[in-house]
Amino acid sequence: MSYEAGQYDVIVIGAGHAGCEAALASARMGCETLLLTINLDMVAFMPCNPSIGGPAKGHVVREIDALGGEMGRNIDKTFIQMRMLNTGKGPAVHALRAQADKFLYQHTMKQTIEETDKLTLRQGMVEELIVEDGVVIGVITKSQAVYRAKTVVLTTGTYLRGKIIMGELIYDSGPNNQQPSVKLSESLRQLGFQLARFKTGTPPRVHKDSIDFSQTEIQPGDENPKFFSYETQYSENEQLPCWLTYTSEETLRVINDNIHRSPLFSGAIEGTGPRYCPSIEDKVVRFADKPKHQIFLEPEGRNTSEYYVQGLSTSMPEDVQLSILRSIPGLEKVEMMRTGYAIEYDAVVPTQLWPTLETKIVPGLFTAGQINGTSGYEEAAGQGIIAGINAACKVLGKEPVIVSRSQGYIGVMIDDLVTKGTNDPYRLLTSRAEYRLLLRHDNADLRLTPTGYEIGLINDERYARFLAKKQFVEREIERLKETKIKADGEAQQMLADLGSTALQHSTDALSLLRRPEVTYAHLEPFIDAPAELTEEMKEQVEIQVKYAGYIEKQLLQVERLAKMEKKRIPLDIDYMDVNGIASEAKQKLSDIRPLSIGQASRIAGVTPADISILLVYLEHYNRVVAARG
Amino acid sequence: MIQDTIAAISTAVGEGGIAVIRISGPQAVDSAYAIFKSATDIREAATHTVHYGHIADPRTGEVVEEVLLTVMRGPRSFTAEDVVEISTHGGYISVKKVLDLVLQQQDVRAAEPGEFTKRAFLNGRIDLAQAEAVIDLIRSKSDRAFSIALKQVDGKLSRQIKTLRGEVIELLAHIEVNIDYPEHDVEEMTSSYIREQCNKVITQVDRLLKTADEGKILREGITTAIIGRPNVGKSSLLNALAQDNKAIVTDIPGTTRDVIEEFVTVGGIPLKLLDTAGIRETTDLVEQIGVERSRNALNDADLILLVLNNHEQLNKDELELMELLKGRQVIIIVNKTDLENQLEMDRLEQLYPPEAIVKMSVLAEQGLESLEAAISSLFFSGLLETADMTYVSNARHIALLKQSKQSLFDAIEATNSGIPIDIIQIDVRTAWEQLGEIIGDSAGDSLIDQIFSQFCLGK
């Protein structure tokens, strides 16, 4: 017998990285929010690598934080190692990467959720969406509880019809042997959603005491770690190292000898796997001439002996996995604690979504994370916060939030997904962004904190701090313009030490800072820096000055394209009616229903001529509408 | 899209009079200023004013053409944008030199077919009822442009561009992997490697540009075949055209002798005269056409000049030939009008419109003007547009090649001054996109594909 279990504004189904951000955003915006999960012990669980960040992914964490999300704060509280990557490259691609204490990470997130007002965390498996007049109005769980809501966010990760594959062993399962969600997938299909079948995988875990670390290289964390959240000032977390080793010739031999037992090559796996995260057997087959592959050994937490074997994702049978592990220097006597596996799952074809992450078929229903064909905790969380914000906006009658491609990696990702779709699990890369120099790790707050403040996820106090920082930076740049540096002994000596050209006559500090080899720190003895300027602000000044030329170039491009993005396409346009557009393009446009000419122009198969004709048609259309009054 | 500046020859390029190059968009005045030498600074000029001066190559200072330049500021212009019109002395070669220079300016690109009209419409200058017509124009012209583009894309140029892009994208993928996978054991990107790769591509771009210069005129003429039976006066006609109209190029080096015979301009319109077997005297007309090569030449021709003898009746071969040429652009030349008329003119007039029949006597130097007029009228009516279109896209190709070369230079420059690789990448990527524009391929996902196929990545 079903029973009425409660009425909410927003229901979030799934408490992974997407679900947590969605639920927190919605509740913090003032909506009564219910977060349902199959297993309460799996909140914010990391079923794969115990790490967060890296190029593009770390940028997303900064963006989530700038919008008022939780992932950055949570990892800052729970990291066991922090490293800034790409420091030898330009500021746009500096990328923070943390190793997490994965147990602490999930417990801390769970606690935050439990303590958040208006947010209810409940265990329960949703089996059906209640849809009335085409609009979602609630969900029914396996235990027959009926929860009603105005909007529903689906963040099902890899649970939808999940299937674990380990060599010849294949069984229905969610990640890490959790119960899979079978009926919900059926419910979606019946509503008319087109589903895709994707695959991902995870490597085996091994016992720390069985590793011979003397055969590996140590990979320590940074001495002065930076943090993900703009709010984190310091942390006294003691850092743990990771360890690097390589596969051996023996590893290649073991894999090649057993390749016939790999489900990847026997045809047992039907789902499409991620290209960027191939299993070790895939790497060995596809890159046969590569003699060895990197293997990183990463602790899974402070209070555990489990180590994650990065680089060894595999769906080989258990006995082969052990042989592979033991062929690796340092792991000759290793004890395998968990077996690696591949997992297949259902995903929603993401072109069925609006850029708000609301589905086109069922108004009020939003999806975020792996269900949308992405992979990675950060990608999931980035969509989660946007889906949560927009689910709440819909309830509150507010304008939805769409992050543009020039505003954040979150925008790049969502635009890619809803405009182009994806053929394999989508991972963010910095190379997917056309305005990489604008989407820096350091300026996520400048890009998104005003939005976070506007929707109520950033409080007044934090916003005031943000504005002050912005102002200090602008003022300091102005001041440097006015500050003269004399061509005297000390300055010349400083330049000579840096291998920089000597000054002919006195010059302003700004011009000197533009030289690639001169940093703000070098100039400090000469410019009498204001005391209130923090290291973070100095960094900001330096970047904005040094790369001004390139930044301006990209801003100009953005400005040009902005016109196209601002040209809205009315939702009731019937593309089949538009004379002259090629039929393939008509079909694509009808399917995607782009919101702007900019988005339309990014659809594969839509040519510039089609866009021209669409522009002319729109002008015609608008004049007709205007004429009708 | 509305933000960039476009340029094109906006009059049919003909003889004698003037030809107008129209530039429209925010950069119209600035780009014209860069190549215009005059007593007045046109950036300061009032709207709807005309200025006298010279077009000169800003890099070499070489004066190309004496012109009148009109400045019309938006919204009081045809497109409602800033418009500059450069009126030149009509000659095809000089017009395209000027257009070439315009297209080399920053942010100026060749207008798409119908684009001025489209902008006029979008900016509210044209009546509602014309919208459909504009759509038809864009579609029909772009389909035609597409088929022309395809002709070139299949060719050698496109293969070479693809090879070049392959090298650039390999370099790009290398840089990207260094950025996106900093801990991976892929080869570290060094500045010397970037320099080396960029230089390699620059060398090849230069080679392409050089052939473009040599082959430019060839590709730009209207491919014309002169045919007719022996002794009808083809060679005399060829010589007359070549002498009277000053052949610009004869016996072009590096070209295949058996395809190109002469390059001439007739009333400012360049003709590429094809060497059909008919020009080299053979006895049997049908046999001439049967020759594979000559059939190909006929097929390639945009224009066919069929020479007949006024003093003789039409024979079976000539009638067959006319049948074969149905649907093609043909001008019938009735030669030897100084001799008594034996040719069945009424029959000819049934088959061809009067403007396609030219009576002349090459020997008596009569009627050459009529031929020029006939060719011009075909050109003006747009029926001979094919060659024009090919020319525009070629100028575009050359401009893009030069731009991509500059981008690669910028990348090298940046490397030399110690700029980080993710910023150098911007220049390299720009070069890749510019090369892609030549062959109409700017698909963004191919870079990601390249990264994953070239490198072994993963956790």
Side-chain angles (χ1 to χ4, degrees):
Chain A
M1 262 306 270
S2 68
Y3 74 103
E4 290 292 329
Q7 169 80 46
Y8 296 86
D9 291 325
V10 178
I11 297 174
V12 179
I13 303 170
H17 304 284
C20 288
E21 293 296 343
L24 283 168
S26 154
R28 286 168 177 165
M29 284 170 69
C31 290
E32 282 298 339
T33 305
L34 172 68
L35 176 57
L36 286 168
T37 167
I38 293 175
N39 184 346
L40 269 187
D41 297 330
M42 300 294 282
V43 173
F45 181 69
M46 298 179 160
C48 198
N49 54 329
S51 79
I52 280 182
K57 288 165 168 277
H59 290 68
V60 167
V61 181
R62 295 281 277 180
E63 290 172 8
I64 292 169
D65 182 69
L67 281 168
E70 198 58 35
M71 185 174 246
R73 272 188 288 232
N74 205 59
I75 183 65
D76 285 348
K77 289 180 207 161
T78 59
F79 71 90
I80 54 178
Q81 187 193 95
M82 197 66 93
R83 278 185 77 187
M84 186 63 93
L85 307 176
N86 273 341
T87 47
K89 306 186 182 88
V93 297
H94 290 185
L96 199 55
R97 205 267 322 277
Q99 296 299 135
D101 181 323
K102 77 180 219 182
F103 304 101
L104 193 59
Y105 184 90
Q106 64 172 131
H107 295 149
T108 308
M109 183 65 89
K110 182 161 177 261
Q111 196 173 7
T112 302
I113 287 171
E114 287 163 347
E115 289 169 359
T116 298
D117 277 353
K118 299 202 174 212
L119 182 50
T120 308
L121 179 63
R122 277 292 267 282
Q123 183 164 301
M125 184 190 294
V126 172
E127 294 200 323
E128 197 185 329
L129 300 170
I130 312 172
V131 174
E132 240 177 56
D133 299 329
V135 179
V136 70
I137 55 160
V139 302
I140 307 174
T141 67
K142 192 175 186 174
S143 56
Q144 296 302 298
V146 175
Y147 296 98
R148 296 187 186 273
K150 293 165 188 155
T151 55
V152 172
V153 184
L154 271 184
T155 58
T156 55
T158 60
Y159 282 77
L160 281 187
R161 280 209 310 132
K163 195 202 260 181
I164 279 185
I165 302 150
M166 226 182 255
E168 299 86 0
L169 177 62
I170 299 176
Y171 55 95
D172 293 335
S173 173
N176 202 29
N177 290 336
Q178 295 297 304
Q179 287 185 71
S181 174
V182 178
K183 289 196 172 164
L184 185 55
S185 179
E186 197 41 50
S187 177
L188 286 170
R189 213 180 284 275
Q190 278 171 9
L191 287 168
F193 283 101
Q194 190 194 343
L195 303 181
R197 194 82 175 145
F198 278 171
K199 178 215 92 168
T200 186
T202 194
R205 316 296 200 268
V206 298
H207 197 292
K208 176 186 176 184
D209 295 347
S210 64
I211 301 172
D212 177 3
F213 288 106
S214 69
Q215 304 223 35
T216 65
E217 278 170 47
I218 191 163
Q219 303 270 306
D222 289 346
E223 260 176 50
N224 296 305
K226 300 227 174 170
F227 306 108
F228 279 100
S229 174
Y230 285 94
E231 295 299 277
T232 308
Q233 293 311 321
Y234 92 117
S235 158
E236 39 191 43
N237 284 1
E238 188 205 333
Q239 297 196 55
L240 300 180
C242 295
W243 307 85
L244 172 62
T245 177
Y246 292 89
T247 57
S248 64
E249 277 175 34
E250 175 67 5
T251 315
L252 303 190
R253 198 190 58 73
V254 173
I255 291 170
N256 282 320
D257 285 355
N258 289 283
I259 203 72
H260 59 284
R261 296 182 65 194
S262 159
L264 212 56
F265 297 95
S266 70
I269 289 182
E270 47 170 305
T272 314
R275 287 177 298 180
Y276 50 82
C277 187
S279 58
I280 185 69
E281 52 269 30
D282 208 6
K283 291 193 243 183
V284 166
V285 171
R286 278 177 51 212
F287 296 91
D289 49 352
K290 201 169 154 85
K292 58 179 189 174
H293 299 268
Q294 283 176 321
I295 301 292
F296 289 96
L297 304 171
E298 304 172 354
E300 294 226 313
R302 273 178 220 288
N303 304 311
T304 175
S305 295
E306 258 186 284
Y307 265 60
Y308 177 89
V309 187
Q310 201 222 87
L312 215 63
S313 172
T314 178
S315 56
M316 282 292 209
E318 195 168 86
D319 56 311
V320 180
Q321 291 194 25
L322 191 59
S323 307
I324 293 173
L325 280 172
R326 291 191 172 165
S327 69
I328 294 169
L331 302 182
E332 291 87 350
K333 294 183 178 149
V334 86
E335 285 302 321
M336 182 163 71
M337 294 178 75
R338 293 184 210 229
T339 317
Y341 60 85
I343 183 166
E344 276 189 357
Y345 55 97
D346 284 349
V348 166
V349 172
T351 50
Q352 299 170 99
L353 307 174
W354 298 114
T356 57
L357 294 180
E358 185 172 8
T359 66
K360 293 169 189 170
I361 301 177
V362 181
L365 181 65
F366 295 74
T367 59
Q370 263 167 315
I371 190 175
N372 287 346
T374 61
S375 163
Y377 313 141
E378 306 84 350
E379 285 88 342
Q383 293 168 67
I385 191 167
I386 295 299
I389 288 171
N390 286 328
C393 281
K394 185 151 187 161
V395 170
L396 301 170
K398 286 187 183 170
E399 276 292 300
V401 170
I402 297 174
V403 177
S404 71
R405 295 185 75 92
S406 56
Q407 227 183 343
Y409 279 95
I410 293 178
V412 171
M413 166 175 65
I414 293 177
D415 184 67
D416 278 348
L417 289 172
V418 305
T419 309
K420 297 179 188 157
T422 181
N423 294 323
D424 63 327
Y426 179 99
R427 177 200 157 139
L428 261 177
L429 299 163
T430 68
S431 39
R432 293 195 193 268
E434 45 280 78
Y435 315 114
R436 185 153 62 191
L437 201 48
L438 303 181
L439 307 184
R440 303 189 305 272
H441 186 267
D442 61 270
N443 71 350
D445 55 344
L446 290 169
R447 294 184 271 124
L448 292 168
T449 291
T451 306
Y453 177 69
E454 214 170 288
I455 54 174
L457 288 181
I458 298 284
N459 61 28
D460 290 341
E461 192 194 331
R462 179 168 170 186
Y463 190 59
R465 272 201 302 277
F466 160 77
L467 287 181
K469 170 187 164 188
K470 198 173 157 209
Q471 205 177 36
F472 280 138
V473 170
E474 284 163 7
R475 265 199 224 139
E476 179 62 6
I477 291 175
E478 280 308 307
R479 198 184 68 87
L480 289 183
K481 217 180 279 177
E482 306 303 326
T483 307
K484 289 273 172 250
I485 293 187
K486 289 199 196 103
D488 63 11
E490 269 176 77
Q492 302 289 38
Q493 186 57 50
M494 180 265 291
L495 291 173
D497 289 348
L498 293 172
S500 195
T501 345
L503 291 177
Q504 298 300 318
H505 38 77
S506 79
T507 183
D508 61 283
L510 202 75
S511 310
L512 267 190
L513 191 52
R514 287 220 177 92
R515 296 189 178 184
E517 60 279 6
V518 178
T519 66
Y520 188 92
H522 293 134
L523 292 181
E524 282 204 68
F526 307 94
I527 58 175
D528 192 19
E532 68 270 20
L533 228 53
T534 63
E535 285 308 310
E536 192 191 344
M537 294 175 200
K538 290 175 189 168
E539 182 199 22
Q540 202 47 234
V541 168
E542 185 174 318
I543 291 169
Q544 288 190 24
V545 170
K546 228 180 234 336
Y547 300 98
Y550 287 95
I551 291 172
E552 257 163 51
K553 249 196 230 171
Q554 293 213 329
L555 280 174
L556 210 69
Q557 287 172 4
V558 171
E559 204 184 298
R560 246 187 252 166
L561 288 170
K563 306 249 166 172
M564 304 282 284
E565 302 296 329
K566 277 186 194 141
K567 271 209 185 306
R568 312 298 290 176
I569 303 177
L571 290 182
D572 56 349
I573 274 199
D574 182 355
Y575 291 99
M576 295 302 164
D577 255 11
V578 184
N579 242 337
I581 293 186
S583 48
E584 188 206 349
K586 276 187 185 175
Q587 194 54 53
K588 286 274 175 68
L589 288 162
S590 304
D591 289 346
I592 309 283
R593 280 187 280 163
L595 296 181
S596 68
I597 288 287
Q599 194 192 349
S601 67
R602 288 190 292 272
I603 299 174
V606 175
T607 65
D610 294 323
I611 293 296
S612 279
I613 288 163
L614 186 56
L615 274 170
V616 170
Y617 180 84
L618 279 183
E619 181 66 22
H620 187 159
Y621 178 95
N622 290 338
R623 288 190 204 178
V624 170
V625 170
R628 281 197 204 121
Chain B
M1 181 171 281
I2 302 296
Q3 277 304 293
D4 48 12
T5 298
I6 54 172
I9 302 171
S10 72
T11 48
V13 185
E15 61 181 302
I18 55 162
V20 175
I21 290 154
R22 179 182 284 158
I23 316 169
S24 177
Q27 294 299 312
V29 178
D30 283 353
S31 59
Y33 170 77
I35 58 169
F36 184 56
K37 285 196 162 168
S38 167
T40 44
D41 181 346
I42 56 165
R43 291 174 304 177
E44 309 293 327
T47 187
H48 292 78
T49 52
V50 181
H51 308 273
Y52 168 82
H54 292 87
I55 297 295
D57 187 329
R59 286 164 308 178
T60 61
E62 180 204 352
V63 170
V64 170
E65 177 69 324
E66 183 184 27
V67 301
L68 285 177
L69 185 146
T70 313
V71 176
M72 284 162 281
R73 298 189 185 273
R76 288 182 54 217
S77 72
F78 174 60
T79 56
E81 302 169 344
D82 284 354
V83 169
V84 169
E85 290 187 349
I86 304 174
S87 306
T88 69
H89 288 112
Y92 194 87
I93 305 297
S94 67
V95 175
K96 75 182 161 50
K97 270 190 185 163
V98 175
L99 181 61
D100 252 344
L101 284 177
V102 172
L103 290 177
Q104 279 168 24
Q105 302 310 305
Q106 210 174 3
D107 296 329
V108 182
R109 63 170 174 81
E112 290 160 23
E115 200 170 4
F116 289 110
T117 320
K118 186 186 89 188
R119 288 190 175 199
F121 175 77
L122 291 178
N123 292 325
R125 292 283 295 179
I126 293 185
D127 179 48
L128 180 67
Q130 286 176 275
E132 285 296 314
V134 176
I135 289 176
D136 289 347
L137 187 70
I138 295 171
R139 177 49 74 194
S140 70
K141 290 254 189 171
S142 66
D143 284 347
R144 191 142 44 123
F146 184 64
S147 71
I148 289 166
L150 267 190
K151 223 159 133 188
Q152 294 176 336
V153 164
D154 281 338
K156 221 168 131 194
L157 173 71
S158 118
R159 276 201 305 278
Q160 285 177 316
I161 297 287
K162 279 181 187 155
T163 313
L164 277 182
R165 285 192 99 209
E167 295 195 13
V168 178
I169 203 171
E170 213 170 285
L171 173 62
L172 265 182
H174 227 117
I175 297 177
E176 298 293 4
V177 161
N178 267 257
I179 294 167
D180 274 322
Y181 292 88
E183 290 175 304
H184 248 271
D185 51 350
V186 292
E187 194 188 335
E188 182 83 20
M189 202 74 250
T190 58
S191 43
S192 65
Y193 181 81
I194 295 176
R195 261 198 301 271
E196 206 177 288
Q197 290 300 308
C198 287
N199 273 322
K200 212 167 115 193
V201 179
I202 287 173
T203 315
Q204 285 165 288
V205 171
D206 272 339
R207 206 172 295 156
L208 263 181
L209 278 171
K210 204 160 161 260
T211 61
D213 279 340
E214 283 170 3
K216 205 157 133 189
I217 299 163
L218 292 184
R219 282 198 315 276
E220 288 158 11
I222 292 169
T223 314
T224 307
I226 303 178
I227 54 173
R229 62 171 135 142
N231 291 322
V232 77
K234 298 185 300 290
S235 302
S236 322
L237 175 63
L238 179 69
N239 288 334
L241 286 173
Q243 279 164 20
D244 284 14
N245 297 286
K246 300 180 201 87
I248 300 175
V249 179
T250 54
D251 197 6
I252 297 128
T255 58
T256 328
R257 271 293 300 183
D258 62 4
V259 177
I260 308 298
E261 180 69 16
E262 291 286 353
F263 187 89
V264 302
T265 58
V266 176
I269 300 167
L271 299 186
K272 181 171 69 177
L273 297 178
L274 290 185
D275 170 23
T276 62
I279 292 174
R280 295 184 186 149
E281 302 295 332
T282 60
T283 48
D284 184 60
L285 182 58
V286 178
E287 185 198 310
Q288 286 172 22
I289 301 163
V291 176
E292 182 72 21
R293 193 185 64 202
S294 123
R295 196 183 284 275
N296 284 344
L298 265 187
N299 284 341
D300 283 347
D302 297 321
L303 174 65
I304 293 152
L305 305 180
L306 172 58
V307 188
L308 303 175
N309 189 339
N310 182 50
H311 192 52
E312 285 174 30
Q313 297 199 341
L314 286 170
N315 71 10
K316 188 173 126 269
D317 289 348
E318 285 169 334
L319 288 170
E320 267 179 36
L321 190 53
M322 288 187 209
E323 186 63 27
L324 201 72
L325 295 176
K326 263 191 180 156
R328 306 287 301 276
Q329 291 302 326
V330 182
I331 294 177
I332 304 289
I333 295 169
V334 181
N335 192 20
K336 308 195 182 180
T337 48
D338 49 323
L339 299 176
E340 186 199 344
N341 173 263
Q342 302 266 335
L343 193 71
E344 306 92 320
M345 287 303 293
D346 37 344
R347 185 147 183 206
L348 267 186
E349 278 158 12
Q350 280 168 12
L351 288 167
Y352 292 95
E355 64 268 22
I357 303 172
V358 174
K359 292 181 193 167
M360 62 191 295
S361 167
V362 179
L363 215 63
E365 296 182 14
Q366 284 167 3
L368 211 54
E369 313 76 40
S370 313
L371 176 60
E372 290 180 359
I375 293 173
S376 298
S377 102
L378 273 180
F379 200 95
F380 275 110
S381 66
L383 291 170
L384 282 180
E385 204 178 23
T386 317
D388 187 28
M389 293 293 303
T390 312
Y391 157 66
V392 172
S393 39
N394 279 343
R396 199 179 64 92
H397 293 172
I398 292 163
L400 284 165
L401 278 172
K402 286 185 177 162
Q403 286 167 15
S404 69
K405 185 176 147 185
Q406 187 56 49
S407 301
L408 291 167
F409 270 131
D410 290 348
I412 293 175
E413 185 86 353
T415 314
N416 291 340
S417 30
I419 304 271
I421 60 165
D422 56 300
I423 291 178
I424 296 166
Q425 179 270 356
I426 296 174
D427 293 322
V428 179
R429 194 186 174 111
T430 307
W432 181 61
E433 281 166 359
Q434 284 157 340
L435 289 173
E437 263 185 67
I438 297 176
I439 53 172
D441 177 14
S442 54
D445 282 342
S446 40
L447 174 60
I448 310 281
D449 293 341
Q450 177 76 23
I451 293 173
F452 292 121
S453 62
Q454 194 174 340
F455 299 96
C456 177
L457 305 161
K459 323 187 215 187

